[in-house]
Amino acid sequence: QVQLVESGGGLVQAGGSLRLSCAASGRTFSSRAMGWFRQAPGKEREFVAAISWSGGSTYYASSVNGRFTISRDNAKNTVYLQMNSLKPEDTAVYYCAAQPTRYSVKYEPTAYDYWGQGTQVTVSS
């Protein structure tokens, strides 16, 4: 069983930055690929970024590539999403998610078996 607790969301002006954190329980964190997804009202949940269980590979949606950075600290059981140059279209609820142990990174929400509660990010114009 894995529990994910997110923090760091809030209101920010366009062009500003936020860092989201997701703290995970359990001792299997270091063996799980982790991802960030987001969902705006009336839209489907979409992939944002992911990081391999080893931390050696990262992946980004084209809409955030170059602006967002995903990282992990296995000693702290935490994954981060640094968001820079934020745009109003980044406004959404952001979720972190964990894949089964030692799976290669996937982009589909159905590939993730644990999810956080979500944290609201609002970017004003």
Side-chain angles (χ1 to χ4, degrees), residues 3 12 15 18 21 23-24 29 31 33 44 47-48 50 53-54 77 80 89 103 105 111 113 121-122 124:
Q3 295 183 21
V12 65
L18 285 173
S21 299
F29 173 81
S31 297
E44 295 184 354
F47 171 80
V48 175
W53 60 267
S54 67
N77 276 16
Y80 305 94
E89 50 263 46
Y103 273 39
V105 166
D113 55 357
V121 172
T122 302
S124 61

Side-chain angles (χ1 to χ4, degrees), residues 33-34 47 50-53 57 59 99 103-107 112:
M34 300 292 296
F47 171 80
I51 186 167
S52 62
W53 60 267
S57 299
Y59 308 85
Q99 290 190 208
Y103 273 39
S104 58
V105 166
K106 301 294 191 299
Y107 298 89
Y112 293 77

Side-chain angles (χ1 to χ4, degrees), residues 11-16 86-91 122-125:
L11 175 64
V12 65
Q13 295 182 172
L86 283 162
K87 305 174 181 179
E89 50 263 46
D90 295 318
T91 296
T122 302
V123 184
S124 61
S125 61

Side-chain angles (χ1 to χ4, degrees), residues 47-124:
F47 171 80
V48 175
I51 186 167
S52 62
W53 60 267
S54 67
S57 299
T58 57
Y59 308 85
Y60 300 93
S62 60
S63 59
V64 306
N65 191 41
R67 300 187 297 120
F68 291 10
T69 302
I70 188 172
S71 61
R72 67 191 299 160
D73 186 341
N74 288 344
K76 297 181 178 180
N77 276 16
T78 301
V79 62
Y80 305 94
L81 184 68
Q82 178 67 47
M83 305 185 294
N84 298 325
S85 301
L86 283 162
K87 305 174 181 179
E89 50 263 46
D90 295 318
T91 296
V93 176
Y94 283 71
Y95 300 88
C96 66
Q99 290 190 208
T101 56
R102 301 193 179 188
Y103 273 39
S104 58
V105 166
K106 301 294 191 299
Y107 298 89
E108 300 81 12
T110 53
Y112 293 77
D113 55 357
Y114 295 99
W115 293 83
Q117 78 286 353
T119 185
Q120 177 71 47
V121 172
T122 302
V123 184
S124 61

